[in-house]
Amino acid sequence: IDNSLFFDSDGTPYIFWVKWDRQYGNEIWSAKLEDDLMHIVPGTECLCLRKSQEWENRKLDVNEGPFVMKHRDTYYLTYSANCYSSQDYGVGYAVSKSIDGPWEKYGGNPILRSPGDLRGTGHHAFFKDAEGNLKIVFHSHFSKEQVIPRITHITDAGFVANRSGGADILNISEQTVMMTLSPEQPLLHVTSN
């Protein structure tokens, strides 16, 4: 599930996805793709991440929702942990100097979990807006008491220098723009938290 396509700097395509393991739960895997983007290059499948940090132990064995981007010479693999129905569903990341890993999880994870009154903030993607600013889109639970219908949010993201050396740190702003669209609220509402 949760497949995500990534093109490396040289144009090589990769797919990241989640598969379930009887012992470890949901794990994130990757593989190089053929030029047709339909077939995995045999022998390139690689385990990237599985649950391993304290904050990921709230509900079920889950690392899912992979998204990969490259910043300078470092690959960032962002992911969600805990079950989507958990109020502790959140976003963390791991870094690598190679698209094939090994991946090292950031010690400050999660970088997004329950900002303000939001709960269940997880599965996400990054994009650049028309001005070239990095943004993240993610969903949250409808409320503290109700998971669905989930609400989509967009906020700023960016990188800051790591004072102790190493890869730049990925940050997510807690100032969100909330966009809701549901049967109960048929119009699009834009507000700031």
Side-chain angles (χ1 to χ4, degrees), residues 23-95:
Q23 181 178 357
Y24 297 105
N26 280 2
E27 301 174 325
I28 297 175
W29 285 72
S30 69
K32 185 176 176 180
L33 288 175
E34 299 282 3
D35 291 339
D36 64 6
L37 304 182
M38 299 293 291
H39 300 93
I40 288 175
V41 175
T44 64
E45 297 91 347
C46 178
L47 171 63
C48 301
L49 301 177
R50 62 169 55 123
K51 184 180 84 168
S52 63
Q53 291 183 323
E54 174 75 26
W55 75 276
E56 302 170 347
N57 293 327
R58 302 287 190 258
K59 188 175 182 182
L60 300 180
D61 296 334
V62 173
N63 274 188
E64 65 183 12
F67 187 91
V68 177
M69 58 186 159
K70 190 173 184 181
H71 170 69
R72 297 190 176 164
D73 62 347
T74 302
Y75 297 91
Y76 288 74
L77 169 51
T78 61
Y79 66 97
S80 294
N82 295 302
C83 180
Y84 80 93
S85 63
S86 168
Q87 290 197 0
D88 289 316
Y89 197 49
V91 175
Y93 75 88
V95 296

Side-chain angles (χ1 to χ4, degrees), residues 118 136-140 151-155 176-179:
L118 301 182
I136 182 175
V137 58
F138 62 94
H139 60 63
S140 74
I151 301 172
T152 302
H153 307 270
I154 299 174
T155 193
T176 64
V177 176
M178 181 175 67
M179 301 176 3

Side-chain angles (χ1 to χ4, degrees):
I1 63 170
D2 295 349
N3 60 313
S4 177
L5 180 63
F6 172 75
F7 289 93
D8 207 347
S9 306
D10 64 0
T12 304
Y14 292 85
I15 186 168
F16 288 77
W17 76 94
V18 174
K19 76 176 187 178
W20 183 77
D21 179 89
R22 187 179 305 262
Q23 181 178 357
Y24 297 105
N26 280 2
E27 301 174 325
I28 297 175
W29 285 72
S30 69
K32 185 176 176 180
L33 288 175
E34 299 282 3
D35 291 339
D36 64 6
L37 304 182
M38 299 293 291
H39 300 93
I40 288 175
V41 175
T44 64
E45 297 91 347
C46 178
L47 171 63
C48 301
L49 301 177
R50 62 169 55 123
K51 184 180 84 168
S52 63
Q53 291 183 323
E54 174 75 26
W55 75 276
E56 302 170 347
N57 293 327
R58 302 287 190 258
K59 188 175 182 182
L60 300 180
D61 296 334
V62 173
N63 274 188
E64 65 183 12
F67 187 91
V68 177
M69 58 186 159
K70 190 173 184 181
H71 170 69
R72 297 190 176 164
D73 62 347
T74 302
Y75 297 91
Y76 288 74
L77 169 51
T78 61
Y79 66 97
S80 294
N82 295 302
C83 180
Y84 80 93
S85 63
S86 168
Q87 290 197 0
D88 289 316
Y89 197 49
V91 175
Y93 75 88
V95 296
S96 177
K97 290 297 184 182
S98 168
I99 191 67
D100 299 317
W103 296 93
E104 180 182 347
K105 289 185 179 179
Y106 172 54
N109 283 337
I111 58 170
L112 176 67
R113 183 173 66 182
S114 301
D117 291 333
L118 301 182
R119 296 295 177 266
T121 52
H123 203 145
H124 61 284
F126 288 88
F127 66 95
K128 289 192 176 176
D129 66 13
E131 287 78 40
N133 301 307
L134 187 63
K135 304 283 186 178
I136 182 175
V137 58
F138 62 94
H139 60 63
S140 74
H141 292 176
F142 185 76
S143 68
K144 289 182 181 180
E145 298 78 29
Q146 183 179 332
V147 174
I148 56 174
R150 287 181 279 180
I151 301 172
T152 302
H153 307 270
I154 299 174
T155 193
D156 297 318
F159 296 92
V160 296
N162 186 338
R163 292 183 184 183
S164 56
D168 287 349
I169 297 171
L170 175 59
N171 282 327
I172 297 174
S173 170
E174 291 194 4
Q175 299 299 312
T176 64
V177 176
M178 181 175 67
M179 301 176 3
T180 65
L181 187 60
S182 71
E184 296 81 21
Q185 297 172 316
L187 300 175
L188 183 66
H189 302 278
V190 179
T191 59
S192 290
N193 276 351

